[in-house]
Amino acid sequence: MATLNILKGANPGKTFMLDRARMVIGRQENCDIVLNVPAVSREHAVIHIVQGKFYLEDLKSRNKTFVNNQEVNGRILLKDNDRIKICDNLMAFQESSKPALPKGLLKGINERDDGDDEHEEDSSSTVEATISQNSKLLEAQPAERLAFLLTSPPI
């Protein structure tokens, strides 16, 4: 099931299931995804599901809608882990049930494994050691860091 995860802004950490053919994003209480911020239009954008694919459309909002830092003009196809920005709200679109991870986050994490089980004490690193090897994790939002820790295979 596809989800929209709030990374920054109103309701950070909240996840919305995209389970209807049309889901409106806006500040009005009757919207499917409410971003209660004055800069967000009453009905700002809409996500459509057409033949199992997810499309985002800006509803002629004053402050625009962006996907991966590109302004949305017309209806665009959403891809897994796309970043949707509406005013100061940042959301991650997820097609699968896995949580959003920053691009490049996993690169280099498991490169430490040299297959030498003899030094088991040295290879059983802590989360702190993993974090120190990958500074991108430190720059990630708290929800992204938690998702990474929960979904990472044991080292």
Side-chain angles (χ1 to χ4, degrees):
M1 177 58 58
T3 59
L4 194 63
N5 304 305
I6 308 290
L7 302 176
K8 179 181 165 189
N11 307 314
K14 185 160 176 132
T15 298
F16 294 92
M17 302 300 285
L18 301 177
D19 55 1
R20 289 193 291 279
R22 183 177 190 273
M23 295 193 67
V24 177
I25 304 169
R27 76 167 192 267
Q28 270 187 184
E29 290 299 316
N30 64 341
C31 289
D32 301 295
I33 299 169
V34 177
L35 302 175
N36 196 5
V37 177
V40 175
S41 297
R42 288 183 189 108
E43 290 189 348
H44 198 101
V46 63
I47 295 176
H48 298 278
I49 304 173
V50 180
Q51 296 179 344
K53 296 188 187 267
F54 295 81
Y55 296 87
L56 179 71
E57 183 178 355
D58 184 80
L59 296 174
K60 298 182 177 145
S61 64
R62 177 182 292 185
N63 292 318
K64 311 291 181 208
T65 302
F66 298 86
V67 173
N68 300 326
N69 296 319
Q70 300 293 317
E71 185 177 335
V72 173
N73 292 311
R75 190 180 282 192
I76 66 160
L77 176 65
L78 289 172
K79 296 178 295 303
D80 193 41
N81 213 26
D82 273 349
R83 298 296 200 244
I84 300 168
K85 187 171 188 286
I86 295 178
C87 301
D88 290 333
N89 299 280
L90 181 63
M91 298 162 275
F93 169 74
Q94 293 298 130
E95 275 192 278
S96 63
S97 59
K98 287 188 173 184
L101 297 177
K103 291 180 181 176
L105 184 65
L106 298 176
K107 184 179 179 186
I109 291 290
N110 293 323
E111 292 173 1
R112 206 176 147 235
D113 185 15
D114 57 6
D116 185 6
D117 293 334
E118 185 176 284
H119 303 298
E120 187 64 36
E121 296 159 9
D122 295 338
S123 66
S124 63
S125 62
T126 63
V127 171
E128 293 166 352
T130 301
I131 290 173
S132 68
Q133 289 179 359
N134 193 338
S135 63
K136 288 184 182 181
L137 181 60
L138 295 174
E139 298 168 7
Q141 294 293 319
E144 293 172 317
R145 284 185 275 182
L146 178 60
F148 169 74
L149 294 173
L150 293 174
T151 60
S152 293
I155 296 178

